[in-house]
Short mmCIF file of all heavy atoms in Angstrom, two decimals:
data_model
loop_
_atom_site.label_atom_id
_atom_site.label_comp_id
_atom_site.label_asym_id
_atom_site.label_seq_id
_atom_site.Cartn_x
_atom_site.Cartn_y
_atom_site.Cartn_z
N ALA U 95 8.41 13.37 -6.29
CA ALA U 95 8.02 12.38 -5.37
C ALA U 95 7.15 11.35 -6.00
O ALA U 95 7.22 10.20 -5.80
CB ALA U 95 7.44 12.97 -4.13
N VAL U 96 6.24 11.93 -6.77
CA VAL U 96 5.10 11.12 -7.46
C VAL U 96 5.85 10.20 -8.41
O VAL U 96 5.50 8.94 -8.47
CB VAL U 96 4.08 11.92 -8.21
CG1 VAL U 96 3.21 11.17 -9.02
CG2 VAL U 96 3.21 12.64 -7.11
N LEU U 97 6.75 10.67 -9.19
CA LEU U 97 7.50 9.84 -10.14
C LEU U 97 8.30 8.69 -9.39
O LEU U 97 8.26 7.65 -9.88
CB LEU U 97 8.43 10.70 -11.09
CG LEU U 97 9.29 9.88 -12.08
CD1 LEU U 97 8.37 9.11 -13.05
CD2 LEU U 97 10.20 10.82 -12.91
N THR U 98 8.96 9.12 -8.40
CA THR U 98 9.77 8.11 -7.65
C THR U 98 8.86 7.09 -6.99
O THR U 98 9.19 5.85 -7.13
CB THR U 98 10.61 8.87 -6.55
OG1 THR U 98 11.33 9.84 -7.21
CG2 THR U 98 11.49 7.84 -5.78
N ALA U 99 7.71 7.43 -6.53
CA ALA U 99 6.73 6.39 -6.00
C ALA U 99 6.29 5.50 -7.04
O ALA U 99 6.21 4.25 -6.85
CB ALA U 99 5.58 7.16 -5.22
N LYS U 100 6.04 5.97 -8.27
CA LYS U 100 5.59 5.08 -9.34
C LYS U 100 6.65 4.27 -9.78
O LYS U 100 6.42 3.11 -10.25
CB LYS U 100 5.07 6.08 -10.58
CG LYS U 100 3.75 6.78 -10.24
CD LYS U 100 3.35 7.62 -11.42
CE LYS U 100 1.97 8.25 -11.11
NZ LYS U 100 1.60 9.21 -12.27
N LEU U 101 7.94 4.73 -9.88
CA LEU U 101 9.04 3.82 -10.22
C LEU U 101 9.19 2.80 -9.23
O LEU U 101 9.51 1.57 -9.54
CB LEU U 101 10.36 4.71 -10.35
CG LEU U 101 10.49 5.50 -11.67
CD1 LEU U 101 11.50 6.59 -11.56
CD2 LEU U 101 10.70 4.53 -12.80
N ALA U 102 8.99 3.18 -7.97
CA ALA U 102 9.14 2.17 -6.92
C ALA U 102 8.05 1.02 -7.03
O ALA U 102 8.30 -0.08 -6.80
CB ALA U 102 9.13 2.83 -5.40
N ARG U 103 6.84 1.48 -7.27
CA ARG U 103 5.80 0.53 -7.36
C ARG U 103 6.11 -0.42 -8.55
O ARG U 103 5.85 -1.66 -8.40
CB ARG U 103 4.45 1.28 -7.68
CG ARG U 103 3.18 0.47 -8.03
CD ARG U 103 1.93 1.17 -7.88
NE ARG U 103 1.83 2.09 -9.04
CZ ARG U 103 0.75 2.87 -9.13
NH1 ARG U 103 -0.20 2.74 -8.38
NH2 ARG U 103 0.76 3.71 -10.13
N GLU U 104 6.59 0.07 -9.64
CA GLU U 104 7.00 -0.70 -10.83
C GLU U 104 8.15 -1.74 -10.46
O GLU U 104 8.08 -2.93 -10.88
CB GLU U 104 7.34 0.16 -11.94
CG GLU U 104 7.85 -0.50 -13.21
CD GLU U 104 6.80 -1.40 -13.89
OE1 GLU U 104 5.54 -1.35 -13.60
OE2 GLU U 104 7.13 -2.23 -14.81
N ALA U 105 9.23 -1.15 -9.76
CA ALA U 105 10.28 -2.02 -9.56
C ALA U 105 10.17 -3.06 -8.38
O ALA U 105 10.62 -4.11 -8.48
CB ALA U 105 11.55 -1.06 -9.06
N LEU U 106 9.34 -2.63 -7.43
CA LEU U 106 9.19 -3.50 -6.17
C LEU U 106 7.86 -4.17 -6.05
O LEU U 106 7.75 -4.99 -5.07
CB LEU U 106 9.46 -2.63 -4.86
CG LEU U 106 10.91 -1.78 -4.97
CD1 LEU U 106 11.02 -1.02 -3.76
CD2 LEU U 106 12.03 -2.84 -5.26
N GLY U 107 7.01 -3.80 -6.82
CA GLY U 107 5.61 -4.51 -6.77
C GLY U 107 4.85 -4.26 -5.52
O GLY U 107 4.10 -5.08 -5.15
N THR U 108 4.98 -3.15 -4.94
CA THR U 108 4.19 -2.62 -3.73
C THR U 108 3.59 -1.22 -4.01
O THR U 108 4.29 -0.37 -4.62
CB THR U 108 5.12 -2.61 -2.57
OG1 THR U 108 4.21 -2.08 -1.45
CG2 THR U 108 6.25 -1.70 -2.67
N ASP U 109 2.41 -1.10 -3.60
CA ASP U 109 1.73 0.25 -3.82
C ASP U 109 1.96 1.07 -2.33
O ASP U 109 1.25 2.10 -2.36
CB ASP U 109 0.37 0.22 -4.35
CG ASP U 109 -0.53 -0.47 -3.46
OD1 ASP U 109 -0.16 -0.94 -2.31
OD2 ASP U 109 -1.68 -0.90 -3.92
N TRP U 110 2.74 0.53 -1.45
CA TRP U 110 2.83 1.28 -0.33
C TRP U 110 4.13 2.25 -0.53
O TRP U 110 5.13 1.83 -1.23
CB TRP U 110 3.31 0.31 0.90
CG TRP U 110 2.18 -0.41 1.44
CD1 TRP U 110 1.09 -0.82 0.77
CD2 TRP U 110 1.98 -0.83 2.90
NE1 TRP U 110 0.30 -1.43 1.81
CE2 TRP U 110 0.83 -1.36 2.95
CE3 TRP U 110 2.82 -0.66 3.95
CZ2 TRP U 110 0.30 -1.91 4.15
CZ3 TRP U 110 2.34 -1.08 5.16
CH2 TRP U 110 1.10 -1.84 5.26
N VAL U 111 4.07 3.57 0.01
CA VAL U 111 5.17 4.28 -0.12
C VAL U 111 5.34 5.25 1.09
O VAL U 111 4.49 5.64 1.67
CB VAL U 111 5.04 5.18 -1.50
CG1 VAL U 111 3.80 6.16 -1.33
CG2 VAL U 111 6.27 6.05 -1.77
#
Side-chain angles (χ1 to χ4, degrees):
Chain U
V96 168
L97 176 59
T98 302
K100 288 179 178 175
L101 282 163
R103 176 166 67 182
E104 173 69 11
L106 306 178
T108 176
D109 57 15
W110 284 34
V111 63

